[in-house]
Amino acid sequence: ASELNNYKTSYMAFYLIYKEYPGDATNANRYFNEASYINGNGDSKIKPISDSSSESLLSWYHLTLAKLIDQNTIKSVNDPLLPGGIHLNSNTPVTTLENTCYAPAHISFLEGKGYGSQIGVYDPQLPTGVLNSNGLSIGTHGTAACTAPGDPPAGYSIHATTASILDTKIDDSYGNSGNMLGRESSECQTTGTYQISSTEKGCSLFFSFNDS
């Protein structure tokens, strides 16, 4: 819970300083005197991937350059798997939650069965229409959204019991409301109730930054 809140604080601090969101910032190269391929598109939505950029990964690099997180992210601009100069970095934070990693993203690219499944992000199947904000996708791993040491597992990576405890500590304890949402499934949460009897790692979460 502290880890999540610390990242949220760092994210909001970046916005207060630069008036743009990390990963989405259009003038990051000027802020940090860096070369090309580190700017976002400035639409206020952190996209896990687009034609030639992963703002999700880039956000960690922006926070590192701004010295707002203690994370040694490294820029990579020529990923052969993707076209053009790619907004990527390596060594994104691995969570303390069952060896998965965080992917900053706008919820519109994660909820339902839409864009996420097309871009290497394991589609969280979140409740739709509940939130409209950037936040952290937790418990998913995909090549376009998360690169991290320790080989985080693919697919959904959190037990429902863990998700329930976390949601109770920092939100309203319900998986379909508030600032933390859980994947809708029999292995995670249904109608807001976390399926704590499940023994599968079937959960992914979205933690809102409340920036809408």
Side-chain angles (χ1 to χ4, degrees):
S2 296
E3 194 170 67
L4 286 173
N5 283 321
N6 286 340
Y7 282 131
K8 180 176 180 178
T9 298
S10 297
Y11 173 92
M12 297 309 297
F14 188 99
Y15 182 79
L16 288 172
I17 296 167
Y18 301 106
K19 306 304 180 187
E20 294 189 284
Y21 297 120
D24 185 61
T26 57
N27 291 302
N29 60 333
R30 180 168 58 85
Y31 301 148
F32 307 117
N33 194 28
E34 278 272 344
S36 59
Y37 301 135
I38 71 162
N39 292 332
N41 69 358
D43 67 354
S44 298
K45 295 181 179 181
I46 299 176
K47 293 181 175 67
I49 194 70
S50 63
D51 290 341
S52 61
S53 67
S54 176
E55 293 180 346
S56 186
L57 291 179
L58 187 62
S59 61
W60 294 124
Y61 190 57
H62 286 179
L63 289 170
T64 298
L65 292 173
K67 303 187 187 304
L68 290 170
I69 61 171
D70 183 19
Q71 179 73 27
N72 185 26
T73 56
I74 304 167
K75 182 179 63 171
S76 171
V77 298
N78 290 309
D79 191 318
L81 300 178
L82 297 168
I86 309 302
H87 298 171
L88 293 181
N89 62 279
S90 59
N91 296 333
T92 60
V94 175
T95 79
T96 55
L97 297 173
E98 306 179 21
N99 192 38
T100 187
C101 60
Y102 298 127
H106 192 274
I107 192 170
S108 61
F109 299 105
L110 298 173
E111 63 187 357
K113 291 187 175 181
Y115 195 54
S117 61
Q118 302 173 30
I119 57 174
V121 180
Y122 288 85
D123 191 339
Q125 299 170 250
L126 297 172
T128 59
V130 180
L131 292 169
N132 179 30
S133 66
N134 291 300
L136 288 178
S137 177
I138 308 163
T140 60
H141 173 57
T143 56
C146 173
T147 62
D151 192 23
Y156 310 111
S157 308
I158 298 176
H159 286 102
T161 301
T162 303
S164 177
I165 292 171
L166 188 61
D167 198 324
T168 300
K169 281 183 176 291
I170 62 176
D171 197 35
D172 62 0
S173 79
Y174 296 100
N176 64 351
S177 65
N179 294 317
M180 179 167 284
L181 302 177
R183 172 179 174 249
E184 291 181 326
S185 75
S186 59
E187 291 80 34
C188 187
Q189 66 88 15
T190 55
T191 63
T193 301
Y194 286 99
Q195 303 302 303
I196 59 176
S197 61
S198 174
T199 59
E200 301 293 325
K201 285 189 174 183
C203 261
S204 62
L205 300 169
F206 179 81
F207 178 55
S208 173
F209 289 150
N210 282 330
D211 57 3
S212 59

